[in-house]
Amino acid sequence: MLILRQRPFLAPAWKLHNPYCQNQEAEKAGDKAEKDRLSTRVRFHLSHKFGDEKKLMTFHQELEDVIEDQLSLASIHYLRSHYQEAIDIYKRILLDNREYLALNVYVALCYYKLDYYDVSQEVLAVYLQHFPDSAIAINLKVWWIIDSWQLKQI
């Protein structure tokens, strides 16, 4: 807060990007903040959070074909249960950036949500080869095992 008192011009940007301020106050701060790609992404997510479809579509149109914007778009697709659209974006990013191994977890999670458990496991295996102790990946694998077991019980 000392920085904000010394540099009051930073206050609108701080309120917008501060994770504890993701409420109507953050939305008002977004109207005053400098218009850049980061603030567009944050406002895109806030409009989803507040259920403002008109603003969501406005910010969607402002997104560019850069990795950060596309990852933001994929996450909104996931949150809206548009899993196939999220998968398409993640796969397109992975084609050019194979080193972004964590995206395999997101792809696997999307396939899991679509009930493609076998595909989910195959994609997850790529990530687990490099990071066998990943809590998120292990949890997803456990969910897959439980769901597979429950299906066999029916």
mmCIF file of all heavy atoms in Angstrom, residues 37-48 56 59-60 63-64 66-80 86 89-90 93 103:
data_model
loop_
_atom_site.group_PDB
_atom_site.id
_atom_site.type_symbol
_atom_site.label_atom_id
_atom_site.label_comp_id
_atom_site.label_asym_id
_atom_site.label_seq_id
_atom_site.Cartn_x
_atom_site.Cartn_y
_atom_site.Cartn_z
ATOM 1 N N ARG A 37 -3.048 -5.796 -23.005
ATOM 2 C CA ARG A 37 -3.506 -7.175 -23.186
ATOM 3 C C ARG A 37 -3.832 -7.841 -21.852
ATOM 4 O O ARG A 37 -4.805 -8.585 -21.737
ATOM 5 C CB ARG A 37 -2.472 -7.988 -23.959
ATOM 6 C CG ARG A 37 -2.429 -7.585 -25.415
ATOM 7 C CD ARG A 37 -1.716 -8.553 -26.337
ATOM 8 N NE ARG A 37 -0.835 -9.514 -25.735
ATOM 9 C CZ ARG A 37 0.458 -9.635 -26.024
ATOM 10 N NH1 ARG A 37 1.012 -8.854 -26.915
ATOM 11 N NH2 ARG A 37 1.190 -10.561 -25.450
ATOM 12 N N LEU A 38 -3.020 -7.566 -20.826
ATOM 13 C CA LEU A 38 -3.274 -8.166 -19.516
ATOM 14 C C LEU A 38 -4.605 -7.691 -18.945
ATOM 15 O O LEU A 38 -5.407 -8.492 -18.476
ATOM 16 C CB LEU A 38 -2.135 -7.856 -18.545
ATOM 17 C CG LEU A 38 -2.327 -8.365 -17.123
ATOM 18 C CD1 LEU A 38 -2.508 -9.883 -17.106
ATOM 19 C CD2 LEU A 38 -1.149 -7.954 -16.253
ATOM 20 N N SER A 39 -4.852 -6.400 -18.989
ATOM 21 C CA SER A 39 -6.123 -5.906 -18.446
ATOM 22 C C SER A 39 -7.303 -6.426 -19.258
ATOM 23 O O SER A 39 -8.369 -6.688 -18.698
ATOM 24 C CB SER A 39 -6.137 -4.377 -18.370
ATOM 25 O OG SER A 39 -6.121 -3.799 -19.642
ATOM 26 N N THR A 40 -7.122 -6.625 -20.550
ATOM 27 C CA THR A 40 -8.192 -7.207 -21.371
ATOM 28 C C THR A 40 -8.500 -8.623 -20.902
ATOM 29 O O THR A 40 -9.662 -8.997 -20.747
ATOM 30 C CB THR A 40 -7.801 -7.213 -22.863
ATOM 31 O OG1 THR A 40 -7.619 -5.867 -23.289
ATOM 32 C CG2 THR A 40 -8.875 -7.868 -23.707
ATOM 33 N N ARG A 41 -7.454 -9.408 -20.638
ATOM 34 C CA ARG A 41 -7.670 -10.778 -20.178
ATOM 35 C C ARG A 41 -8.338 -10.811 -18.807
ATOM 36 O O ARG A 41 -9.256 -11.600 -18.573
ATOM 37 C CB ARG A 41 -6.346 -11.550 -20.139
ATOM 38 C CG ARG A 41 -5.802 -11.876 -21.516
ATOM 39 C CD ARG A 41 -4.638 -12.839 -21.440
ATOM 40 N NE ARG A 41 -3.504 -12.372 -20.680
ATOM 41 C CZ ARG A 41 -2.518 -11.636 -21.173
ATOM 42 N NH1 ARG A 41 -2.520 -11.264 -22.443
ATOM 43 N NH2 ARG A 41 -1.505 -11.273 -20.408
ATOM 44 N N VAL A 42 -7.882 -9.951 -17.907
ATOM 45 C CA VAL A 42 -8.473 -9.908 -16.566
ATOM 46 C C VAL A 42 -9.939 -9.506 -16.665
ATOM 47 O O VAL A 42 -10.814 -10.131 -16.048
ATOM 48 C CB VAL A 42 -7.698 -8.948 -15.640
ATOM 49 C CG1 VAL A 42 -8.439 -8.731 -14.330
ATOM 50 C CG2 VAL A 42 -6.296 -9.477 -15.374
ATOM 51 N N ARG A 43 -10.237 -8.498 -17.455
ATOM 52 C CA ARG A 43 -11.615 -8.046 -17.613
ATOM 53 C C ARG A 43 -12.459 -9.107 -18.332
ATOM 54 O O ARG A 43 -13.655 -9.251 -18.061
ATOM 55 C CB ARG A 43 -11.635 -6.708 -18.340
ATOM 56 C CG ARG A 43 -10.971 -5.626 -17.466
ATOM 57 C CD ARG A 43 -10.720 -4.358 -18.192
ATOM 58 N NE ARG A 43 -11.975 -3.634 -18.300
ATOM 59 C CZ ARG A 43 -12.166 -2.646 -19.151
ATOM 60 N NH1 ARG A 43 -11.201 -2.270 -19.961
ATOM 61 N NH2 ARG A 43 -13.316 -2.026 -19.197
ATOM 62 N N PHE A 44 -11.871 -9.861 -19.222
ATOM 63 C CA PHE A 44 -12.540 -10.975 -19.886
ATOM 64 C C PHE A 44 -13.006 -11.992 -18.841
ATOM 65 O O PHE A 44 -14.162 -12.423 -18.824
ATOM 66 C CB PHE A 44 -11.563 -11.595 -20.891
ATOM 67 C CG PHE A 44 -12.073 -12.749 -21.700
ATOM 68 C CD1 PHE A 44 -13.251 -12.659 -22.430
ATOM 69 C CD2 PHE A 44 -11.342 -13.926 -21.771
ATOM 70 C CE1 PHE A 44 -13.701 -13.733 -23.205
ATOM 71 C CE2 PHE A 44 -11.784 -14.994 -22.545
ATOM 72 C CZ PHE A 44 -12.965 -14.895 -23.252
ATOM 73 N N HIS A 45 -12.090 -12.334 -17.916
ATOM 74 C CA HIS A 45 -12.431 -13.290 -16.865
ATOM 75 C C HIS A 45 -13.445 -12.713 -15.881
ATOM 76 O O HIS A 45 -14.346 -13.423 -15.431
ATOM 77 C CB HIS A 45 -11.169 -13.756 -16.134
ATOM 78 C CG HIS A 45 -10.417 -14.786 -16.893
ATOM 79 N ND1 HIS A 45 -10.641 -16.128 -16.748
ATOM 80 C CD2 HIS A 45 -9.462 -14.668 -17.840
ATOM 81 C CE1 HIS A 45 -9.855 -16.804 -17.566
ATOM 82 N NE2 HIS A 45 -9.128 -15.943 -18.228
ATOM 83 N N LEU A 46 -13.307 -11.442 -15.553
ATOM 84 C CA LEU A 46 -14.269 -10.820 -14.647
ATOM 85 C C LEU A 46 -15.668 -10.798 -15.255
ATOM 86 O O LEU A 46 -16.651 -11.039 -14.555
ATOM 87 C CB LEU A 46 -13.832 -9.394 -14.293
ATOM 88 C CG LEU A 46 -12.662 -9.272 -13.337
ATOM 89 C CD1 LEU A 46 -12.213 -7.821 -13.224
ATOM 90 C CD2 LEU A 46 -13.016 -9.835 -11.966
ATOM 91 N N SER A 47 -15.756 -10.521 -16.539
ATOM 92 C CA SER A 47 -17.077 -10.492 -17.179
ATOM 93 C C SER A 47 -17.698 -11.887 -17.170
ATOM 94 O O SER A 47 -18.912 -12.030 -17.013
ATOM 95 C CB SER A 47 -17.006 -9.912 -18.588
ATOM 96 O OG SER A 47 -16.112 -10.611 -19.394
ATOM 97 N N HIS A 48 -16.871 -12.932 -17.276
ATOM 98 C CA HIS A 48 -17.405 -14.295 -17.136
ATOM 99 C C HIS A 48 -17.878 -14.519 -15.705
ATOM 100 O O HIS A 48 -18.974 -15.034 -15.475
ATOM 101 C CB HIS A 48 -16.356 -15.339 -17.509
ATOM 102 C CG HIS A 48 -16.747 -16.727 -17.088
ATOM 103 N ND1 HIS A 48 -17.723 -17.445 -17.735
ATOM 104 C CD2 HIS A 48 -16.319 -17.487 -16.055
ATOM 105 C CE1 HIS A 48 -17.884 -18.606 -17.124
ATOM 106 N NE2 HIS A 48 -17.034 -18.649 -16.108
ATOM 107 N N LEU A 56 -18.342 -9.964 -22.014
ATOM 108 C CA LEU A 56 -17.541 -11.139 -22.317
ATOM 109 C C LEU A 56 -17.243 -11.207 -23.811
ATOM 110 O O LEU A 56 -16.104 -11.415 -24.227
ATOM 111 C CB LEU A 56 -18.254 -12.410 -21.851
ATOM 112 C CG LEU A 56 -17.484 -13.710 -22.040
ATOM 113 C CD1 LEU A 56 -16.426 -13.857 -20.961
ATOM 114 C CD2 LEU A 56 -18.432 -14.890 -21.998
ATOM 115 N N PHE A 59 -14.780 -8.371 -24.879
ATOM 116 C CA PHE A 59 -13.381 -8.663 -24.561
ATOM 117 C C PHE A 59 -12.865 -9.859 -25.365
ATOM 118 O O PHE A 59 -11.693 -9.912 -25.717
ATOM 119 C CB PHE A 59 -13.189 -8.881 -23.064
ATOM 120 C CG PHE A 59 -13.417 -7.630 -22.267
ATOM 121 C CD1 PHE A 59 -14.370 -7.592 -21.270
ATOM 122 C CD2 PHE A 59 -12.706 -6.475 -22.536
ATOM 123 C CE1 PHE A 59 -14.595 -6.440 -20.544
ATOM 124 C CE2 PHE A 59 -12.915 -5.312 -21.825
ATOM 125 C CZ PHE A 59 -13.866 -5.287 -20.823
ATOM 126 N N HIS A 60 -13.746 -10.789 -25.673
ATOM 127 C CA HIS A 60 -13.362 -11.923 -26.521
ATOM 128 C C HIS A 60 -12.863 -11.418 -27.870
ATOM 129 O O HIS A 60 -11.863 -11.903 -28.403
ATOM 130 C CB HIS A 60 -14.556 -12.861 -26.687
ATOM 131 C CG HIS A 60 -14.270 -14.070 -27.511
ATOM 132 N ND1 HIS A 60 -15.247 -14.884 -27.989
ATOM 133 C CD2 HIS A 60 -13.109 -14.618 -27.948
ATOM 134 C CE1 HIS A 60 -14.721 -15.866 -28.676
ATOM 135 N NE2 HIS A 60 -13.422 -15.725 -28.672
ATOM 136 N N LEU A 63 -9.256 -10.144 -27.851
ATOM 137 C CA LEU A 63 -8.147 -11.083 -27.682
ATOM 138 C C LEU A 63 -7.407 -11.267 -28.996
ATOM 139 O O LEU A 63 -8.008 -11.253 -30.060
ATOM 140 C CB LEU A 63 -8.660 -12.436 -27.174
ATOM 141 C CG LEU A 63 -9.305 -12.445 -25.803
ATOM 142 C CD1 LEU A 63 -9.826 -13.832 -25.477
ATOM 143 C CD2 LEU A 63 -8.340 -11.970 -24.728
ATOM 144 N N GLU A 64 -6.099 -11.449 -28.885
ATOM 145 C CA GLU A 64 -5.256 -11.607 -30.065
ATOM 146 C C GLU A 64 -4.776 -13.053 -30.171
ATOM 147 O O GLU A 64 -4.980 -13.861 -29.270
ATOM 148 C CB GLU A 64 -4.063 -10.653 -29.971
ATOM 149 C CG GLU A 64 -4.478 -9.190 -29.918
ATOM 150 C CD GLU A 64 -3.298 -8.255 -29.712
ATOM 151 O OE1 GLU A 64 -2.141 -8.705 -29.892
ATOM 152 O OE2 GLU A 64 -3.535 -7.093 -29.355
ATOM 153 N N VAL A 66 -2.101 -14.581 -29.572
ATOM 154 C CA VAL A 66 -0.851 -14.761 -28.827
ATOM 155 C C VAL A 66 -1.138 -15.783 -27.732
ATOM 156 O O VAL A 66 -2.286 -15.967 -27.311
ATOM 157 C CB VAL A 66 -0.322 -13.443 -28.230
ATOM 158 C CG1 VAL A 66 0.088 -12.473 -29.333
ATOM 159 C CG2 VAL A 66 -1.346 -12.798 -27.317
ATOM 160 N N ILE A 67 -0.115 -16.447 -27.268
ATOM 161 C CA ILE A 67 -0.292 -17.564 -26.342
ATOM 162 C C ILE A 67 -1.091 -17.166 -25.104
ATOM 163 O O ILE A 67 -2.025 -17.876 -24.711
ATOM 164 C CB ILE A 67 1.066 -18.169 -25.952
ATOM 165 C CG1 ILE A 67 1.670 -18.876 -27.169
ATOM 166 C CG2 ILE A 67 0.932 -19.137 -24.787
ATOM 167 C CD1 ILE A 67 3.064 -19.402 -26.950
ATOM 168 N N GLU A 68 -0.748 -16.042 -24.488
ATOM 169 C CA GLU A 68 -1.430 -15.656 -23.251
ATOM 170 C C GLU A 68 -2.929 -15.463 -23.468
ATOM 171 O O GLU A 68 -3.743 -15.930 -22.667
ATOM 172 C CB GLU A 68 -0.821 -14.362 -22.681
ATOM 173 C CG GLU A 68 0.624 -14.477 -22.280
ATOM 174 C CD GLU A 68 1.599 -14.215 -23.426
ATOM 175 O OE1 GLU A 68 1.162 -14.031 -24.588
ATOM 176 O OE2 GLU A 68 2.812 -14.203 -23.160
ATOM 177 N N ASP A 69 -3.284 -14.789 -24.549
ATOM 178 C CA ASP A 69 -4.700 -14.563 -24.844
ATOM 179 C C ASP A 69 -5.410 -15.867 -25.170
ATOM 180 O O ASP A 69 -6.552 -16.096 -24.762
ATOM 181 C CB ASP A 69 -4.869 -13.584 -26.011
ATOM 182 C CG ASP A 69 -4.551 -12.140 -25.634
ATOM 183 O OD1 ASP A 69 -4.200 -11.888 -24.461
ATOM 184 O OD2 ASP A 69 -4.670 -11.262 -26.514
ATOM 185 N N GLN A 70 -4.736 -16.749 -25.898
ATOM 186 C CA GLN A 70 -5.352 -18.015 -26.267
ATOM 187 C C GLN A 70 -5.529 -18.926 -25.049
ATOM 188 O O GLN A 70 -6.535 -19.635 -24.935
ATOM 189 C CB GLN A 70 -4.540 -18.708 -27.364
ATOM 190 C CG GLN A 70 -4.578 -17.975 -28.691
ATOM 191 C CD GLN A 70 -6.011 -17.766 -29.181
ATOM 192 O OE1 GLN A 70 -6.743 -18.726 -29.386
ATOM 193 N NE2 GLN A 70 -6.414 -16.513 -29.347
ATOM 194 N N LEU A 71 -4.583 -18.898 -24.122
ATOM 195 C CA LEU A 71 -4.736 -19.671 -22.888
ATOM 196 C C LEU A 71 -5.902 -19.131 -22.055
ATOM 197 O O LEU A 71 -6.658 -19.894 -21.453
ATOM 198 C CB LEU A 71 -3.441 -19.649 -22.068
ATOM 199 C CG LEU A 71 -2.293 -20.463 -22.633
ATOM 200 C CD1 LEU A 71 -1.020 -20.208 -21.842
ATOM 201 C CD2 LEU A 71 -2.630 -21.938 -22.655
ATOM 202 N N SER A 72 -6.040 -17.831 -22.048
ATOM 203 C CA SER A 72 -7.164 -17.215 -21.345
ATOM 204 C C SER A 72 -8.489 -17.652 -21.969
ATOM 205 O O SER A 72 -9.433 -18.013 -21.261
ATOM 206 C CB SER A 72 -7.017 -15.690 -21.394
ATOM 207 O OG SER A 72 -8.030 -15.068 -20.660
ATOM 208 N N LEU A 73 -8.543 -17.643 -23.283
ATOM 209 C CA LEU A 73 -9.747 -18.069 -23.998
ATOM 210 C C LEU A 73 -10.050 -19.541 -23.718
ATOM 211 O O LEU A 73 -11.201 -19.912 -23.449
ATOM 212 C CB LEU A 73 -9.578 -17.831 -25.499
ATOM 213 C CG LEU A 73 -10.733 -18.259 -26.393
ATOM 214 C CD1 LEU A 73 -12.026 -17.551 -26.016
ATOM 215 C CD2 LEU A 73 -10.372 -17.993 -27.858
ATOM 216 N N ALA A 74 -9.024 -20.367 -23.725
ATOM 217 C CA ALA A 74 -9.224 -21.801 -23.451
ATOM 218 C C ALA A 74 -9.769 -22.006 -22.039
ATOM 219 O O ALA A 74 -10.652 -22.847 -21.829
ATOM 220 C CB ALA A 74 -7.910 -22.559 -23.636
ATOM 221 N N SER A 75 -9.276 -21.236 -21.085
ATOM 222 C CA SER A 75 -9.763 -21.405 -19.715
ATOM 223 C C SER A 75 -11.230 -20.996 -19.588
ATOM 224 O O SER A 75 -11.993 -21.642 -18.870
ATOM 225 C CB SER A 75 -8.898 -20.630 -18.717
ATOM 226 O OG SER A 75 -9.053 -19.244 -18.889
ATOM 227 N N ILE A 76 -11.636 -19.971 -20.310
ATOM 228 C CA ILE A 76 -13.054 -19.577 -20.292
ATOM 229 C C ILE A 76 -13.893 -20.664 -20.968
ATOM 230 O O ILE A 76 -14.979 -21.006 -20.474
ATOM 231 C CB ILE A 76 -13.270 -18.208 -20.959
ATOM 232 C CG1 ILE A 76 -12.636 -17.095 -20.122
ATOM 233 C CG2 ILE A 76 -14.751 -17.930 -21.180
ATOM 234 C CD1 ILE A 76 -13.267 -16.866 -18.759
ATOM 235 N N HIS A 77 -13.407 -21.227 -22.055
ATOM 236 C CA HIS A 77 -14.125 -22.343 -22.685
ATOM 237 C C HIS A 77 -14.307 -23.475 -21.679
ATOM 238 O O HIS A 77 -15.388 -24.055 -21.580
ATOM 239 C CB HIS A 77 -13.389 -22.859 -23.924
ATOM 240 C CG HIS A 77 -13.599 -22.045 -25.148
ATOM 241 N ND1 HIS A 77 -14.839 -21.667 -25.604
ATOM 242 C CD2 HIS A 77 -12.716 -21.536 -26.043
ATOM 243 C CE1 HIS A 77 -14.725 -20.973 -26.712
ATOM 244 N NE2 HIS A 77 -13.435 -20.872 -27.000
ATOM 245 N N TYR A 78 -13.246 -23.789 -20.947
ATOM 246 C CA TYR A 78 -13.343 -24.855 -19.954
ATOM 247 C C TYR A 78 -14.388 -24.507 -18.890
ATOM 248 O O TYR A 78 -15.240 -25.327 -18.556
ATOM 249 C CB TYR A 78 -11.982 -25.113 -19.293
ATOM 250 C CG TYR A 78 -12.061 -26.187 -18.243
ATOM 251 C CD1 TYR A 78 -11.964 -27.522 -18.587
ATOM 252 C CD2 TYR A 78 -12.276 -25.859 -16.910
ATOM 253 C CE1 TYR A 78 -12.068 -28.517 -17.638
ATOM 254 C CE2 TYR A 78 -12.390 -26.849 -15.949
ATOM 255 C CZ TYR A 78 -12.285 -28.170 -16.314
ATOM 256 O OH TYR A 78 -12.407 -29.148 -15.365
ATOM 257 N N LEU A 79 -14.331 -23.292 -18.371
ATOM 258 C CA LEU A 79 -15.271 -22.876 -17.326
ATOM 259 C C LEU A 79 -16.718 -22.901 -17.808
ATOM 260 O O LEU A 79 -17.641 -23.097 -17.019
ATOM 261 C CB LEU A 79 -14.918 -21.470 -16.829
ATOM 262 C CG LEU A 79 -13.620 -21.357 -16.035
ATOM 263 C CD1 LEU A 79 -13.263 -19.899 -15.798
ATOM 264 C CD2 LEU A 79 -13.728 -22.114 -14.726
ATOM 265 N N ARG A 80 -16.915 -22.727 -19.105
ATOM 266 C CA ARG A 80 -18.263 -22.735 -19.673
ATOM 267 C C ARG A 80 -18.652 -24.129 -20.190
ATOM 268 O O ARG A 80 -19.646 -24.279 -20.872
ATOM 269 C CB ARG A 80 -18.346 -21.697 -20.792
ATOM 270 C CG ARG A 80 -18.193 -20.263 -20.268
ATOM 271 C CD ARG A 80 -17.973 -19.260 -21.366
ATOM 272 N NE ARG A 80 -19.118 -19.099 -22.229
ATOM 273 C CZ ARG A 80 -20.008 -18.121 -22.133
ATOM 274 N NH1 ARG A 80 -19.877 -17.220 -21.176
ATOM 275 N NH2 ARG A 80 -20.996 -18.035 -22.985
ATOM 276 N N ALA A 86 -11.751 -25.872 -25.868
ATOM 277 C CA ALA A 86 -10.541 -25.707 -25.063
ATOM 278 C C ALA A 86 -9.444 -26.656 -25.549
ATOM 279 O O ALA A 86 -8.287 -26.252 -25.694
ATOM 280 C CB ALA A 86 -10.849 -25.949 -23.588
ATOM 281 N N ILE A 89 -7.739 -25.384 -28.703
ATOM 282 C CA ILE A 89 -6.781 -24.302 -28.453
ATOM 283 C C ILE A 89 -5.503 -24.850 -27.834
ATOM 284 O O ILE A 89 -4.392 -24.524 -28.268
ATOM 285 C CB ILE A 89 -7.414 -23.217 -27.556
ATOM 286 C CG1 ILE A 89 -8.542 -22.508 -28.306
ATOM 287 C CG2 ILE A 89 -6.357 -22.222 -27.088
ATOM 288 C CD1 ILE A 89 -9.392 -21.597 -27.447
ATOM 289 N N TYR A 90 -5.647 -25.705 -26.819
ATOM 290 C CA TYR A 90 -4.459 -26.272 -26.170
ATOM 291 C C TYR A 90 -3.606 -27.059 -27.156
ATOM 292 O O TYR A 90 -2.380 -26.940 -27.170
ATOM 293 C CB TYR A 90 -4.859 -27.182 -25.003
ATOM 294 C CG TYR A 90 -5.439 -26.447 -23.815
ATOM 295 C CD1 TYR A 90 -6.578 -26.924 -23.178
ATOM 296 C CD2 TYR A 90 -4.848 -25.300 -23.305
ATOM 297 C CE1 TYR A 90 -7.107 -26.278 -22.071
ATOM 298 C CE2 TYR A 90 -5.368 -24.639 -22.209
ATOM 299 C CZ TYR A 90 -6.498 -25.134 -21.598
ATOM 300 O OH TYR A 90 -7.016 -24.494 -20.513
ATOM 301 N N ILE A 93 -1.642 -24.781 -29.447
ATOM 302 C CA ILE A 93 -0.486 -24.201 -28.752
ATOM 303 C C ILE A 93 0.618 -25.246 -28.599
ATOM 304 O O ILE A 93 1.793 -24.960 -28.809
ATOM 305 C CB ILE A 93 -0.908 -23.629 -27.382
ATOM 306 C CG1 ILE A 93 -1.821 -22.414 -27.576
ATOM 307 C CG2 ILE A 93 0.317 -23.243 -26.562
ATOM 308 C CD1 ILE A 93 -2.465 -21.910 -26.302
ATOM 309 N N LEU A 103 0.350 -28.166 -20.326
ATOM 310 C CA LEU A 103 -0.892 -28.096 -21.105
ATOM 311 C C LEU A 103 -1.492 -29.479 -21.318
ATOM 312 O O LEU A 103 -2.710 -29.611 -21.493
ATOM 313 C CB LEU A 103 -0.654 -27.408 -22.446
ATOM 314 C CG LEU A 103 -0.341 -25.916 -22.395
ATOM 315 C CD1 LEU A 103 -0.202 -25.348 -23.793
ATOM 316 C CD2 LEU A 103 -1.383 -25.161 -21.614
#
